[in-house]
Amino acid sequence: MRQALPTIAALLIAGIGGGATAPAADTLHAPSASAGCVSGAARYDVAVPGHPFSAVQSRDGSALFVSVIGNSPARGNGIAVLRCRDGRFRYSHLSPLESSPLGMVGTHDGKLLIVADDGFVAFVDVRRALLGRPALLGYFQDAEGDPEDNDAGSVDVNVTPDDRYAFVADEDNRAITVIDLARARAGGFTRAAIVGRIPVADAPIALVFSADGKYLFTTSEVALESYKYAPKCRPEGAGPKAALTVAPGVIQTIDVHVAETDPVHALIGRFAGACSPVRMAIAPDGKTVFVTNRNSNSVTAYSTARLIAGGPDALTATIPVGAGPVALAVTGDGRYVLAGNTNRFGPSGPSQGTISVIDTTSMRVSGTIPVGIFPRQLSPGIGSILFLSNNRSNRITVFDTSRLSEVVSH
């Protein structure tokens, strides 16, 4: 799950237009005991200028960055900057970023946003983005050759706890790209920073670290033929009577230390999953990984210890949810798992979505929450705050998960 950025925003925001100088680095990065943007509401929506995907909150709570893709020729792509005012996030401005900005993570030093940008990996200066200044520090193509013919389909990104390496899921290349961030910063963000690629199965998406940061878990939507898994899935959107012709997805485990020096040999385990596993989230205690299975209409739970050990019994629970689940998060107290049902491959395409609320004690759905169209990504904020990207509604829903009982229908 994505980490919140260290403190970077409060004094910068106060100084815009007033000629104030930037605060010292230790002030910018010091945690705040009163961090957050607290509205007093169990939920509220914020409109953004395009289709939102990922959200990253600053540690002091005063800013939120949202990757968006414009939904018309008049609206470009970029990072929407939201600021906290009167206890609520409100849209401020767009920091332009072309191609298709999707998954995004903030480095722990608070200086960079790393964006999976379809065929590229982009590096955005946080300070400049907050000030509304040109913020793109650099980018490079995440594949070799002609970008028109060899698009990596970079869809998600995560960074090691020490900020030394970034991992990018290349959906179209069946690979996880490993980037040396120190080399990227020193060398002007060129392809020379690429350490190598970890070969995985078809359409890798999620990137989640183990609690100790030693392992990286990832999903792939469809197993490779060489795995010889028996087909058990229908083509997505083909209907319930279609033949089972598609292989299941895969949950894969990567040794981070090996990946930093020898990516080709970093994959240490794989486990046959359900149909089209996409998002992933880890429990606060680090013992369980949850996965949304878009083509199985389910959430599955896996023992992280057994995934690491390569045991055949890693699956611990299967929970039926709504149609086409994608977005996924675990509440900070570990009591609930939230899964966003999109109906993405239904007869009429994505429709008004819902969130299935799973009680982790019983591993059953205890209620639902109506949300916008195509609930695509759930991003953790500070404390009990959680951000939902309603991709086709062009809105971010802000939840206070400590007050879920106020918004859940049973």
Side-chain angles (χ1 to χ4, degrees), residues 65-122:
F65 306 92
V66 181
S67 57
V68 298
I69 298 175
N71 59 337
S72 74
R75 290 187 168 183
N77 304 334
I79 308 301
V81 179
L82 284 64
R83 295 177 180 157
C84 183
R85 190 166 67 250
D86 300 326
R88 293 197 175 199
F89 286 105
R90 303 172 194 274
Y91 173 71
S92 173
H93 59 275
L94 184 73
S95 183
L97 184 64
E98 287 308 316
S99 199
S100 299
L102 298 170
M104 179 172 63
V105 69
T107 54
H108 301 85
D109 65 8
K111 296 179 180 180
L112 288 179
L113 292 171
I114 308 173
V115 186
D117 201 12
D118 196 17
F120 305 89
V121 180

Side-chain angles (χ1 to χ4, degrees), residues 116-392:
D117 201 12
D118 196 17
F120 305 89
V121 180
F123 300 86
V124 175
D125 185 284
V126 167
R127 187 188 301 259
R128 295 179 188 176
L130 283 166
L131 292 171
R133 297 173 181 169
L136 180 61
L137 292 175
Y139 64 91
F140 50 75
Q141 183 186 345
D142 195 17
E144 297 178 355
D146 185 345
E148 294 184 0
D149 299 327
N150 192 14
D151 188 343
S154 302
V155 66
D156 205 2
V157 59
N158 211 340
V159 63
T160 54
D162 59 8
D163 277 350
R164 292 182 60 194
Y165 293 89
F167 292 79
V168 182
D170 297 332
E171 186 174 12
D172 296 339
N173 271 6
R174 298 176 174 174
I176 307 296
T177 295
V178 185
I179 298 169
D180 184 326
L181 284 184
R183 191 184 305 172
R185 285 167 155 161
F189 303 102
T190 69
R191 285 179 51 81
I194 296 177
V195 178
R197 293 178 177 82
I198 305 164
V200 292
D202 192 39
I205 305 290
L207 297 166
V208 172
F209 287 103
S210 61
D212 59 10
K214 293 181 179 180
Y215 300 96
L216 181 69
F217 304 108
T218 184
T219 56
S220 283
E221 292 186 33
V222 182
L224 300 180
E225 289 185 9
S226 61
Y227 297 174
K228 301 186 184 304
Y229 293 162
K232 69 174 188 179
C233 306
R234 298 177 177 86
E236 288 192 289
K241 296 183 179 180
L244 303 178
T245 58
V246 180
V250 191
I251 311 304
Q252 296 143 122
T253 305
I254 294 163
D255 185 311
V256 172
H257 179 69
V258 175
E260 294 170 351
T261 57
D262 187 15
V264 171
H265 299 104
L267 187 66
I268 62 170
R270 66 172 183 257
F271 187 91
C275 300
S276 298
V278 282
R279 302 293 189 271
M280 177 183 284
I282 192 166
D285 63 9
K287 294 181 179 180
T288 305
V289 163
F290 296 91
V291 175
T292 45
N293 305 292
R294 193 179 59 209
N295 198 21
S296 288
N297 299 335
S298 70
V299 170
T300 42
Y302 300 89
S303 161
T304 56
R306 295 173 191 170
L307 287 175
I308 293 167
D313 55 349
L315 178 67
T316 60
T318 298
I319 306 104
V321 291
V326 175
L328 185 69
V330 186
T331 57
D333 58 10
R335 292 183 59 191
Y336 300 103
V337 174
L338 308 183
N341 306 306
T342 68
N343 194 39
R344 182 172 184 178
F345 292 96
S348 57
S351 55
Q352 204 72 26
T354 60
I355 298 291
S356 291
V357 180
I358 299 168
D359 187 318
T360 57
T361 301
S362 64
M363 288 297 186
R364 295 181 178 180
V365 173
S366 61
T368 60
I369 305 171
V371 291
I373 300 172
F374 198 173
R376 193 169 191 179
Q377 190 89 344
L378 279 159
S379 304
I382 293 170
S384 60
I385 300 301
L386 194 65
F387 304 101
L388 170 67
S389 297
N390 299 286
N391 187 258
R392 301 298 169 83

Side-chain angles (χ1 to χ4, degrees), residues 16-43:
I16 291 176
T21 58
D26 58 348
T27 302
L28 286 172
H29 301 150
S32 169
S34 59
C37 183
V38 181
S39 69
R43 65 172 288 181

